[in-house]
Amino acid sequence: MSLHDLVLTFLIFLATSLFLDHVGYLSTISEHSVEEATENSSLPVAQKSHFDEILYKITTNTLDTAPFITELLVPPFHDYWSVYVTSPAYNLSTCLVEKTMTTLRSAIMCYLSFHDEFIGNNRTISTETHNTRYCYEDNTFLNFTEAQASIVGNETLFSVVRHPIDRFLSGYVDKCVRYCEYGHNLNNYILVKYSPETEEIVRQLDAVFEKAGVPESYRGEIASETRKQKSNNSTAEMTYRKKVQRHLLSDEKTFRRLIQIYYYDFVLPCVKC
């Protein structure tokens, strides 16, 4: 990378940092643990009112988006496709978002829903694959209403969210879509923040499962299997991702457009996933 590119990259990140400070970017999990989540929100009580205020302004199109022009931003809350996996025994459900541990979560929910069958068939959470999932059709729903109908009692609903730019880079190599009907149900979710650090993922997921009443022995097995699972991204995919990332960070126009696409994700984390 040339000196010009390095300077440009620095200026882009500086501008982005100032932008994030301007909009008051909230992190739903990194600063506050899942254990502190309120009954119907992933945010602590102290921040929930601010969260609700921003959400209200977004849904009523009254949010001040300066220095960006609202009409040039990609609108939030576009329901494209949703896949929910449930474990009725624990009144637990999760919405699957591409590139955010979907195979792992499907395996965990199968383990919880059909524990004896799963173990009896020599299945393990860490070795499940997308194409050979044990109970995909038995606890999977394609809309929020159907998923809710499978749960009786106080539901624990969670989803995994990811930094918008990181999600873009990962999704660009695979696919880029929007999920989970967040526009109608965002306040019902506990949002687990995706992390490259396995122990951080284990900690957040364990807090969700503990809240749902999953036995400690099961949670220990889930944690152990989560630690075993490794990313199945191919070397070719990772190489291509790095190429796209270099282009993104060195092209001011492209980077600015990306901020316009994911503006509402920065203002209100994971409004779109």
Side-chain angles (χ1 to χ4, degrees):
M1 183 179 289
S2 67
L3 178 60
H4 174 269
D5 289 339
L6 287 173
V7 172
L8 180 58
T9 299
F10 171 76
L11 291 176
I12 289 172
F13 274 112
L14 177 61
T16 303
S17 177
L18 293 174
F19 162 66
L20 296 183
D21 288 341
H22 170 75
V23 300
Y25 181 59
L26 304 175
S27 176
T28 59
I29 298 296
S30 61
E31 294 181 3
H32 301 275
S33 64
V34 175
E35 294 91 331
E36 295 173 310
T38 59
E39 185 68 25
N40 296 312
S41 171
S42 62
L43 290 175
V45 175
Q47 289 190 1
K48 180 167 169 50
S49 60
H50 184 47
F51 179 92
D52 289 340
E53 178 185 357
I54 294 177
L55 182 59
Y56 174 78
K57 288 182 178 179
I58 290 175
T59 56
T60 58
N61 200 31
T62 58
L63 182 70
D64 180 8
T65 62
F68 294 93
I69 300 172
T70 301
E71 289 73 20
L72 298 181
L73 303 176
V74 173
F77 298 132
H78 176 75
D79 293 330
Y80 179 78
W81 181 260
S82 297
V83 178
Y84 300 87
V85 183
T86 67
S87 176
Y90 299 102
N91 295 324
L92 182 66
S93 63
T94 186
C95 182
L96 303 181
V97 179
E98 291 290 345
K99 313 307 294 182
T100 56
M101 308 186 305
T102 55
T103 301
L104 174 66
R105 282 186 285 149
S106 292
I108 290 173
M109 299 299 273
C110 184
Y111 170 84
L112 292 175
S113 297
F114 307 96
H115 180 268
D116 292 344
E117 294 178 38
F118 190 84
I119 298 300
N121 281 275
N122 297 316
R123 295 281 187 156
T124 59
I125 293 171
S126 62
T127 57
E128 290 288 277
T129 68
H130 177 78
N131 294 325
T132 62
R133 285 173 286 183
Y134 181 68
C135 53
Y136 176 74
E137 296 182 354
D138 298 310
N139 63 337
T140 302
F141 304 90
L142 299 182
N143 66 67
F144 186 80
T145 302
E146 290 182 359
Q148 293 281 293
S150 72
I151 301 295
V152 178
N154 295 324
E155 179 188 29
T156 299
L157 171 65
F158 75 99
S159 187
V160 177
V161 300
R162 196 169 182 174
H163 187 282
I165 293 178
D166 186 42
R167 188 170 70 249
F168 170 81
L169 289 169
S170 183
Y172 185 87
V173 176
D174 182 22
K175 62 194 72 161
C176 185
V177 291
R178 303 175 196 180
Y179 286 81
C180 296
E181 302 173 67
Y182 285 129
H184 307 291
N185 307 301
L186 184 59
N187 268 322
N188 295 323
Y189 280 92
I190 291 175
L191 300 181
V192 173
K193 186 177 180 182
Y194 179 88
S195 172
E197 300 296 329
T198 302
E199 288 306 313
E200 177 59 19
I201 289 293
V202 168
R203 182 192 69 79
Q204 293 183 64
L205 289 178
D206 185 67
V208 173
F209 299 142
E210 181 179 21
K211 182 178 185 295
V214 175
E216 185 175 356
S217 60
Y218 286 15
R219 286 167 31 221
E221 180 69 13
I222 291 171
S224 176
E225 289 294 303
T226 299
R227 293 185 180 101
K228 292 178 184 178
Q229 192 193 57
K230 297 181 179 180
S231 172
N232 61 1
N233 290 334
S234 68
T235 301
E237 285 179 333
M238 294 304 295
T239 300
Y240 187 56
R241 175 193 165 109
K242 290 179 180 178
K243 179 180 179 181
V244 173
Q245 182 173 334
R246 284 195 298 270
H247 172 74
L248 172 65
L249 298 182
S250 62
D251 189 301
E252 182 180 6
K253 184 177 180 180
T254 301
F255 196 86
R256 182 185 298 275
R257 178 61 66 183
L258 188 62
I259 295 297
Q260 290 176 321
I261 292 173
Y262 287 107
Y263 176 89
Y264 292 103
D265 291 57
F266 286 113
V267 176
L268 189 64
C270 203
V271 167
K272 301 181 276 81
C273 282

